[in-house]
Amino acid sequence: MHRLLLLGSLWLVVPPPASSIFQRPTGSPATPRLQYLLEPLHAAVHTQRGATATLPCVLRALPRNYRVKWSKVEPANYRESIIIITNGLYHKNYGPLSPRVRLRHSHRYDASLTITDVALEDEGRYRCQLVNGLEDESVSLTLHLEGVVFPYQPSNGRYKFNYHEAKRACEQQDSRLATYQQLYRAWTEGLDWCNAGWILDGTVHYPIINSREPCGGRLLLPGVRTYGARDKQKDRFDAFCFTSALQGQVYFIRGHLNFKEAGQACRNHGAAIAKVGQLYSAWKFSQLDRCDGGWLADGSVRYPITTPREHCGGLPDPGVRSFGFPSKELRTYGTYCFAGK
């Protein structure tokens, strides 16, 4: 378990010691032995947006009059949404995943769930439950999308989003609000950001690698610092967005263009001006590396650097650099375009 340390009004998430991660607390009951379902070899399945992923669920025996129910735990409200129910002969799909899911059914004991054209919102925890009267049992699996988390704020400055505006802003940039697990993973990979932002479950955090005065003080340990749950309507922060692989290509058009001309230049090539999430995805997955600032769909100007060098911002780490939101009338920059497959 992660520990929460209260420091003034700020909570700090501290990961458990490595030696304690897999220890069962003294006196806690052991996990009930599964009679019909096989424990999956791996509890997590890793994939990317646009791919096909299969979550394994295999029976060791077929009880009489059984059903298998697949559901997904929604991170925004912790409710379970039914995806599919089968009795081995017939099945029925439910909810928004319905058009993209099927049972693999490679043999009579196989109740594995296959998701096609994986979307950003598909990441999360899934449950395969055998419904058999008093002998119900289940296994849980997690679908992880490989991706990148990026902080996002609007053109009018920091701390302007309530929760619903932050959620909408991420979606407009080809991304979605990050989960806590995605933000934590990004912190372990080096994300260091001093501004607090909303995540999908309605809590507010910021990840710190290098402790410093403007970010809680030098005495606080590195970590994902949290303000906890906040009022989704009234409280205002930035957003932490998550995106994954692209089904298309981001490329740069050189020129001295204003914002309107940048959009037209992309359309002249049969493309659209790239969104912020698309640029981050191209940087992460296609190693896009350009020293040229270019317009993006939200009116910001950014450029992706995979090999840091002195004349490209001078910062020691790879990243997507930003010039902020300059006047849209300036004819100073090129443009980043996105062409879908």
Side-chain angles (χ1 to χ4, degrees), residues 182-241:
Q182 290 165 344
L183 181 62
Y184 187 88
R185 195 182 320 148
W187 169 70
T188 66
E189 294 170 356
L191 181 61
D192 182 283
W193 196 255
C194 204
N195 293 342
W198 293 103
I199 63 171
L200 187 59
D201 65 4
T203 57
V204 174
H205 310 264
Y206 64 100
I208 294 297
I209 298 290
N210 302 306
S211 299
R212 50 203 187 271
E213 285 304 326
C215 308
R218 298 180 184 274
L219 299 181
L220 280 183
L221 293 173
V224 179
R225 298 175 184 170
T226 176
Y227 291 105
R230 294 288 167 162
D231 189 308
K232 291 182 178 181
Q233 292 287 355
K234 297 179 181 178
D235 290 329
R236 295 188 173 271
F237 297 94
D238 292 345
F240 285 106
C241 305

Side-chain angles (χ1 to χ4, degrees), residues 228-293:
R230 294 288 167 162
D231 189 308
K232 291 182 178 181
Q233 292 287 355
K234 297 179 181 178
D235 290 329
R236 295 188 173 271
F237 297 94
D238 292 345
F240 285 106
C241 305
F242 172 84
T243 193
S244 185
L246 287 173
Q247 299 299 294
Q249 179 188 12
V250 173
Y251 60 92
F252 181 74
I253 294 179
R254 189 182 298 276
H256 297 283
L257 309 170
N258 63 29
F259 178 72
K260 184 176 180 180
E261 293 167 341
Q264 188 60 52
C266 292
R267 290 190 291 273
N268 290 345
H269 285 75
I273 189 168
K275 299 177 180 180
V276 177
Q278 291 167 342
L279 185 66
Y280 269 93
S281 180
W283 165 75
K284 173 77 172 181
F285 291 100
S286 303
Q287 288 74 55
L288 185 63
D289 184 296
R290 288 207 67 101
C291 209
D292 307 276

Side-chain angles (χ1 to χ4, degrees), residues 104-163:
R104 182 174 63 181
H105 208 63
S106 58
H107 53 79
R108 63 194 296 245
Y109 299 98
D110 185 13
S112 301
L113 182 74
T114 295
I115 305 174
T116 60
D117 193 20
V118 170
L120 293 177
E121 59 269 23
D122 296 343
E123 171 151 316
R125 187 159 63 90
Y126 291 76
R127 189 158 75 109
C128 176
Q129 181 181 16
L130 177 74
V131 181
N132 182 33
L134 299 177
E135 299 178 288
D136 294 357
E137 56 189 55
S138 65
V139 294
S140 292
L141 301 107
T142 301
L143 185 67
H144 281 305
L145 268 70
E146 298 173 12
V148 57
V149 172
F150 60 94
Y152 188 75
Q153 56 184 225
S155 59
N156 57 341
R158 68 196 287 262
Y159 294 175
K160 300 297 183 182
F161 294 135
N162 67 24
Y163 172 82

Side-chain angles (χ1 to χ4, degrees), residues 158-176:
R158 68 196 287 262
Y159 294 175
K160 300 297 183 182
F161 294 135
N162 67 24
Y163 172 82
H164 306 287
E165 291 164 345
K167 185 174 182 289
R168 188 161 53 249
C170 288
E171 292 167 354
Q172 289 171 347
Q173 296 308 314
D174 192 50
S175 59
R176 72 191 299 252

